[in-house]
């Protein structure tokens, strides 16, 4: 049994070793992923619940790895954060989202805002250069109101002056700020009083059981009422069923996003979907 213990130990050592090597390999591959054009943004429609019209789209990054195929952002974003590569990836995301928003302004006779996700680590980095981003918007002649950034509550909970100033830079430029995954984690509400937030995105975990769990419905309705009294727009995330959509409409939620409407789509597929919805 001593032998067995040793085998088990070496099995775990080996597994840990493989895991570490796998992470290092992915980080290494990520370094050249931008220049090798392996990243792509997919876009998920955000629908106005009353009219059923698509008003916004969330940009979600995808990585086509040459050997491993599609890697989920849930897997590689944490590694990008750990390695600091999130700053250059985030830079690519901003420019790609802005260029797409510009194309849609020209393609559609319709106001379509694109939201993009920002990691707290981008805000904490001294390499984040918001002036460069704003200059880029001027270069491509895109009005800032066609963009919004999604941040999580954790960033706001302990926001120092530097983070607050960066948020003000976005606000002053006219880029909307949305709180992502609202309701999970900290929910220290007080930041809503003194930071200028435009949108709240209610986390999917509230929406999932809306039709079966009375407490989730009560909480969701309370969030919608609070947000609207504060002048914020509310987006419900992860709507998968017609029953969920109907309940959200009943409690006056402004916007909805989820597989019920569409999965995230490559830009060309999004454009075709948008046009087919406009004509229906
Ligand atoms: P998130 O910002 O909360 O994005 C929503 C996630 O929920 C997306 O997963 C989306 O595909 C998925 N989703 C949308 N509707 C439904 C639904 O009805 N049911 C279910 N079960 N899921 C739904 P995705 O694309 O895999 O992204 C995962 C996370 O990765 C995102 O969560 C976000 O935190 C992060 N992420 C994605 N793109 C970026 C990016 O460009 N930058 C940064 N920093 N993070 C990103
Ligand atoms: Ca998001
Ligand atoms: Ca979210
Ligand atoms: Ca604002």
């Amino acid at each position: 049994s001593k032998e067995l213990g040793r085998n088990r130990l070496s099995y775990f050592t080996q597994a840990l070793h493989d895991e570490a090597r796998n992470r290092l390999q992915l980080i290494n591959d990520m370094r050249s992923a931008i220049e090798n054009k392996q990243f792509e943004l997919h876009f998920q429609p955000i629908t106005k619940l009353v009219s059923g019209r698509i008003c916004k789209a969330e940009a979600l990054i995808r990585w086509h790895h040459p050997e491993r195929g599609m890697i989920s952002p849930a897997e590689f974003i944490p590694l990008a954060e750990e390695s600091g590569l999130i700053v250059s990836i985030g830079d690519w995301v901003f420019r790609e989202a802005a260029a797409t928003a510009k194309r849609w302004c020209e393609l559609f006779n319709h106001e379509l805002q694109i939201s993009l996700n920002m990691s707290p680590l981008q805000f904490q980095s001294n390499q984040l250069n918001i002036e460069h981003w704003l200059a880029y918007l001027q270069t491509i002649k895109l009005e800032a109101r066609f963009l919004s950034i999604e941040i999580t509550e954790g960033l706001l909970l302990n926001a120092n002056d530097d983070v607050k100033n960066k948020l003000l830079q976005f606000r002053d430029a006219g880029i909307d700020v949305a709180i992502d995954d609202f309701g999970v984690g900290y929910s220290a509400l007080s930041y809503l009083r003194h930071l200028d937030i435009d949108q709240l995105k209610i986390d999917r975990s509230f929406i999932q059981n809306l039709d079966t769990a009375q407490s989730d419905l009560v909480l969701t309705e309370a969030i919608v009422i609070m947000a609207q009294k504060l002048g914020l727009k509310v987006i419900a995330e992860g709507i998968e069923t017609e029953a969920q959509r109907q309940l959200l409409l009943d409690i006056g939620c402004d916007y909805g996003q989820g597989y019920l409407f569409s999965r995230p789509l490559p830009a060309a597929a999004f454009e075709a979907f948008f046009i087919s919805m406009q004509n229906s």
Side-chain angles (χ1 to χ4, degrees), residues 40-46 54 56-62 64 70 100 103-104 114 257-259 261-277:
E40 187 186 12
L41 290 184
H42 284 194
F43 298 90
Q44 188 175 32
I46 298 174
I54 299 171
K56 305 172 193 288
E58 178 175 2
L60 295 155
I61 194 168
R62 299 290 179 259
H64 301 274
M70 192 84 108
T100 306
R103 192 170 68 246
W104 290 353
I114 294 183
Q257 176 181 1
Y259 295 165
F261 306 103
S262 169
R263 296 198 169 241
L265 301 168
F270 180 95
E271 287 160 18
F273 181 71
F274 182 79
I275 290 167
S276 78
M277 291 295 288

Side-chain angles (χ1 to χ4, degrees), residues 1-10:
S1 87
K2 208 172 182 183
E3 186 62 21
L4 197 66
R6 197 154 42 229
N7 279 341
R8 206 170 275 156
L9 182 64
S10 80

Side-chain angles (χ1 to χ4, degrees), residues 58 150 180-181 201 203 237:
E58 178 175 2
E150 300 191 3
D180 204 357
D181 307 335
K201 300 191 74 173
D203 191 69
E237 295 193 283

